[in-house]
Amino acid sequence: MTFPNCALCGVVVWCIQMEPDDPPFFVQSTIVFKNEEGAAAYEGWFSDVAASRSAVASMFLLTRTADPLVFVQFEIYRSSAAFEQHQSGEGARGMQGFNELRDSINFDESSIKVAGRVSEPVRISLASMGGVSHAKIAGHILLPGRADADENCIVLTTKFRALDDDKAEAFIRTYQKVTPAMKPFASTFFLCKDPSDAVTFREFMVFRDLTSFEAHYCSRSIIDDLKPSVGATLDMESSDVIAVSNIVSAKAEEVRRALDGLDASYVERVAGYAFVPADVE
């Protein structure tokens, strides 16, 4: 986890919102293909089905890494009920096309990570696909604002390790303190535990726009609380940051310059969307 230089400061007030009974949840899939033909066919299939997902998923985004055979897919489902609707409706019909591509996927190298509270039927369904649950321990998933737009979203995911178990607990306490102040800047901003051990964390963030991304680094919560905690509790050499290159953004070059300070690796947006509001289908 690194922090670029702050270029903008401001104070924003955001209303406290309780988590709903059936909250949104997040899925990140790394999909490895056996050949470029299979990768191209999957990209085409994803493009075809993406429009039908807007009612159930606020994010349904396919990205390609520097390796043309490796895609990273990001999904935020509006609720467990929405996911079940997806599985039984358009999703079920879309799976017919996916099943025709299964032989092109290297499932041994692929992975699915799930974060957020889900219903038991959804947990079982995702587990049957190879999904591994990552306990969300702080932050929020899908708190949209009226001005949020697909072309403005800045999507980041990070993986890092604490120095030891005690430092991990200290970092969690600080993160839990800081995250309520991130709501004005990010529609999604959460920390989860990687089940591999007691000190590895994953973080996922969807900033509302470039101004919000820059302003969050200037907030008192980041400057006074999170930055000192990061330096004291985390193994900085372990940090791995992935940024989505949002090529539909009119400010793509400005965004890229702002992200350069993060020492991130980039994945290219190739299909789908980063944000669609609930009332757009």
Side-chain angles (χ1 to χ4, degrees), residues 46-196:
F46 193 98
S47 297
D48 289 342
V49 303
S52 68
R53 301 301 193 261
S54 61
V56 298
S58 70
M59 175 180 288
F60 195 74
L61 181 64
L62 183 67
T63 70
R64 185 190 297 110
T65 69
D67 184 338
L69 298 183
V70 181
F71 286 3
V72 182
Q73 184 170 313
F74 303 102
E75 300 158 81
I76 296 179
Y77 287 93
R78 303 185 190 280
S79 64
S80 291
F83 181 83
E84 293 185 73
Q85 176 187 339
H86 153 73
Q87 290 291 86
S88 61
E90 287 292 336
R93 288 186 285 276
M95 284 302 294
Q96 296 174 5
F98 172 80
N99 288 333
E100 296 174 3
L101 303 172
R102 291 181 65 89
D103 288 344
S104 299
I105 299 174
N106 183 343
F107 285 98
D108 290 338
E109 298 295 328
S110 301
S111 65
I112 302 174
K113 303 175 182 65
V114 182
R117 179 161 55 89
V118 301
S119 67
E120 185 62 11
V122 170
R123 185 196 67 78
I124 293 172
S125 176
L126 290 168
S128 72
M129 303 175 196
V132 177
S133 294
H134 289 55
K136 182 170 79 71
I137 52 182
H140 59 275
I141 300 176
L142 188 54
L143 186 62
R146 285 189 293 272
D148 290 1
D150 177 38
E151 66 270 17
N152 295 331
C153 292
I154 296 177
V155 182
L156 296 174
T157 178
T158 66
K159 179 183 178 182
F160 50 86
R161 293 170 55 85
L163 294 169
D164 56 41
D165 290 9
D166 291 339
K167 294 291 195 302
E169 291 301 318
F171 179 74
I172 290 172
R173 290 193 295 271
T174 301
Y175 202 97
Q176 289 171 334
K177 176 183 176 182
V178 165
T179 49
M182 297 299 104
K183 292 178 180 179
F185 312 121
S187 60
T188 294
F189 192 103
F190 71 86
L191 181 73
C192 61
K193 277 293 292 99
D194 190 298
S196 59

Side-chain angles (χ1 to χ4, degrees), residues 3 6 10 57 127 228:
F3 298 91
C6 175

Side-chain angles (χ1 to χ4, degrees), residues 156-157 240-245 256 262-267:
L156 296 174
T157 178
D240 179 23
V241 183
I242 296 175
V244 175
S245 211
R256 188 64 176 255
L262 295 176
D263 191 26
S265 57
Y266 290 90
V267 291

